[in-house]
Amino acid sequence: MGDFSSEIKGHAVEFFEDGHTYLVDGVIVPSITQILSVKFGKKYAGISRAVLNRAAAAGTAVHEAIEDYCQTGFKAPYPEVRNFIFLQKHYGFEVLENEVPVILFLDDEPFAAGRLDLVLQMDGKVGGADIKRTSTLDKEYLAYQLNLYRIAYRQCYGTEWEFLRGIHLRGETRKFVSIPIHEDLALGLAYEYKERKEGKHEQSDADRTADEGRAAEGGEHQCSEIHHGGEPADEGRSGLPAVCGVREDRGDDREVCEEGSSSGRERPA
């Protein structure tokens, strides 16, 4: 996707692909994806870096090809592009925007940033969508992610999304999945991330103060672990309730096999 800079509501937003780093007004902020680590941990821990790099490159290529198609009409020779076009015709949605930068505000202050894949119009309504190329579609993860994007998009641009969709494209797999709107749980996750981050800063300050006090008194200096205020550690699932009872919408969450019909069951990825 590359580096970019933008201005949103008087705030300068920058993204640097090397390190996947967002800055707002020159200050590093977490990405919306990082916030999800509170509940989902490090989603791909245990998978080799080489495999992750290949998957990331393939996902980026597909996202860029779909963006190119939406903006210029060029059809790259990927099955995912062909299937995206099929889903667009089948469900009748129009792409209004691609790769839209957003800031998530907490207590009226910039807290996190990200870029959402698609803003759609369908049946006269505006909504948001995210493209996934993973082998399986994690609908709960997608629900938290899209609900955070919904909040951020409204905060930045003043438009209320009336629906959320997941678009699952991987080879010949193609699905258009309804995701329920449930902002309260997603917003709660963002505040939990903030509390953990601030707690680590406080613990770091306390450790340093204690160490300095012991050193000043001439006592034995005990090394203490200083926790940096970056992304929360992988603590597994937080015990928060599942967002919005993610259910399969049998009208949407099926693999469409032919024009105007669907298989009624999911094919393994």
Side-chain angles (χ1 to χ4, degrees):
M1 299 298 178
D3 300 349
F4 80 89
S5 61
S6 182
E7 184 173 317
I8 302 173
K9 295 188 70 174
H11 296 279
V13 182
E14 299 172 275
F15 173 75
F16 298 97
E17 191 165 13
D18 183 18
H20 197 83
T21 303
Y22 284 95
L23 288 84
V24 177
D25 299 330
V27 178
I28 294 176
V29 297
S31 68
I32 286 176
T33 301
Q34 283 177 288
I35 292 172
L36 301 179
S37 67
V38 171
K39 181 172 180 62
F40 298 95
K42 294 181 179 177
K43 197 168 173 60
Y44 302 109
I47 300 176
S48 74
R49 175 55 55 186
V51 171
L52 289 175
N53 287 342
R54 287 197 299 272
T60 297
V62 167
H63 276 75
E64 290 178 347
I66 290 173
E67 181 180 10
D68 198 20
Y69 165 72
C70 293
Q71 293 181 354
T72 70
F74 175 74
K75 301 175 184 179
Y78 296 125
E80 290 88 352
V81 174
R82 183 179 69 250
N83 285 321
F84 177 83
I85 296 170
F86 179 87
L87 291 175
Q88 187 176 23
K89 292 178 180 178
H90 187 78
Y91 291 100
F93 62 82
E94 177 187 356
V95 176
L96 300 180
E97 296 180 272
N98 299 81
E99 297 296 330
V100 184
V102 292
I103 300 171
L104 178 67
F105 292 83
L106 294 184
D107 303 319
D108 297 321
E109 294 293 330
F111 177 71
R115 269 190 300 185
L116 60 97
D117 287 348
L118 299 168
V119 178
L120 306 181
Q121 185 169 27
M122 186 169 63
D123 299 327
K125 300 176 181 179
V126 175
D130 194 83
I131 298 168
K132 297 297 185 190
R133 196 187 169 274
T134 49
S135 57
T136 58
L137 188 65
D138 188 336
K139 299 170 196 172
E140 187 181 10
Y141 181 93
L142 189 57
Y144 275 93
Q145 182 183 29
L146 279 173
N147 274 278
L148 285 173
Y149 278 134
R150 181 177 189 262
I151 296 166
Y153 190 82
R154 180 178 65 248
Q155 291 173 334
C156 294
Y157 304 108
T159 299
E160 190 83 69
W161 289 352
E162 297 184 69
F163 63 86
L164 306 174
R165 293 292 186 271
I167 301 176
H168 189 203
L169 300 168
R170 184 180 176 88
E172 295 305 327
T173 296
R174 58 189 181 206
K175 298 175 187 175
F176 191 66
V177 183
S178 292
I179 300 296
I181 293 172
H182 201 318
E183 289 188 354
D184 289 348
L185 292 179
L187 195 58
L189 200 66
Y191 275 105
E192 183 174 352
Y193 182 101
K194 182 181 180 182
E195 289 168 5
R196 291 190 186 190
K197 185 176 179 181
E198 290 174 346
K200 288 187 178 184
H201 277 304
E202 291 171 3
Q203 182 63 43
S204 176
D205 291 341
D207 287 345
R208 282 195 293 269
T209 300
D211 288 345
E212 289 166 1
R214 284 193 293 268
E217 293 169 4
E220 182 180 357
H221 180 79
Q222 301 292 328
C223 293
S224 62
E225 181 181 0
I226 296 177
H227 301 282
H228 297 282
E231 180 180 352
D234 178 9
E235 299 181 12
R237 303 202 174 236
S238 66
L240 289 175
V243 77
C244 44
V246 176
R247 295 184 303 164
E248 293 186 3
D249 181 342
R250 288 299 178 185
D252 287 329
D253 186 15
R254 292 186 290 180
E255 189 169 354
V256 181
C257 297
E258 334 179 317
E259 194 73 50
S261 67
S262 58
S263 66
R265 66 166 181 261
E266 298 182 7
R267 192 182 303 165

